[in-house]
Amino acid sequence: YLNLCARRLSDIRRVGWEEGLNVYFETHVDRISECPRAYAQILEMVESFDAPVEVNADLSHYIYRGIFKGKSLEFILNHVQHFHVRLARVHGDLSSDADDMASDFDAGGATRQAWEQSLRVLRHRGVSSRTICGETGPMHLVKDTLGTDARLVPLLRAMAEVGDGNTKPIHEGFNPFRDRL
């Protein structure tokens, strides 16, 4: 099954490239990328018979499941070329909101988790501001999609600065909803 998935990813990517399209495969629950170990094996298989595929990291799917570390996750993160940012709560809500983004960040809530997980990719893997986008989605606890995305702009802006190479040290207590890098 994993080999079949790897072949299909390779085929989809090849057809997309032939048509001049970028093709990214997203980290996602209820899909072949749900299990980091299996997804890493699939990505490795693709590399063994073809060029690597690119991953779109919507880390909310892994945050939601409480997946923050592991060899397989690191392998996947090394393939990230595109980023969707959505708030999620560990073992709670796949798509969530925060009434006060700055307070949520200070309390280690969904905004802080999104920031900390994004830094693992942004600082070391060449993802730039052109590949980071908000993706709140009108589901679960999100009642105002555009409003939530608008309130996330300071977080997205800070992620973009890091992705674009801003290497200034981030001071203790940094909060993108109050501070600028």
Side-chain angles (χ1 to χ4, degrees):
Y1 175 74
L2 298 181
N3 190 21
L4 175 64
C5 290
R7 293 276 176 204
R8 287 182 175 167
L9 291 186
S10 179
D11 290 345
I12 291 168
R13 194 241 358 263
R14 180 183 43 76
V15 169
W17 283 4
E18 286 171 2
E19 296 300 319
L21 301 171
N22 292 335
V23 178
Y24 304 97
F25 298 95
E26 184 171 329
T27 57
H28 208 289
V29 295
D30 295 330
R31 302 292 181 265
I32 62 170
S33 59
E34 177 176 45
C35 170
R37 186 170 182 203
Y39 195 37
Q41 287 176 312
I42 291 168
L43 295 174
E44 217 167 10
M45 286 179 196
V46 173
E47 285 183 13
S48 74
F49 54 79
D50 203 356
V53 296
E54 297 177 10
V55 173
N56 172 51
D58 183 343
L59 297 178
S60 66
H61 292 276
Y62 289 161
I63 291 170
Y64 164 75
R65 295 188 58 225
I67 300 169
F68 295 102
K69 60 185 175 181
K71 204 165 59 172
S72 297
L73 180 59
E74 289 303 316
F75 186 85
I76 293 165
L77 295 179
N78 279 321
H79 289 76
V80 170
Q81 297 295 323
H82 194 269
F83 227 109
H84 282 176
V85 180
R86 172 182 23 200
L87 300 183
R89 301 203 187 279
V90 178
H91 305 302
D93 306 297
L94 178 57
S95 192
S96 65
D97 199 351
D99 292 330
D100 180 340
M101 298 286 184
S103 295
D104 180 77
F105 193 91
D106 287 337
T111 53
R112 170 69 66 91
Q113 291 169 4
W115 170 250
E116 289 176 354
Q117 292 306 305
S118 74
L119 287 179
R120 296 171 65 193
V121 174
L122 296 172
R123 283 187 169 156
H124 307 291
R125 293 178 175 89
V127 175
S128 71
S129 61
R130 70 174 185 75
T131 63
I132 300 170
C133 67
E135 184 201 31
T136 299
M139 58 188 281
H140 305 302
L141 298 178
V142 177
K143 305 297 182 227
D144 177 13
T145 301
L146 295 177
T148 300
D149 274 344
R151 291 183 300 118
L152 283 173
V153 166
L155 178 67
L156 298 172
R157 186 175 289 135
M159 289 175 176
E161 285 189 46
V162 173
D164 287 344
N166 181 341
T167 57
K168 294 179 196 168
I170 299 169
H171 63 81
E172 184 69 31
F174 171 77
N175 185 320
F177 299 99
R178 282 195 302 269
D179 308 319
R180 298 284 306 222
L181 285 177

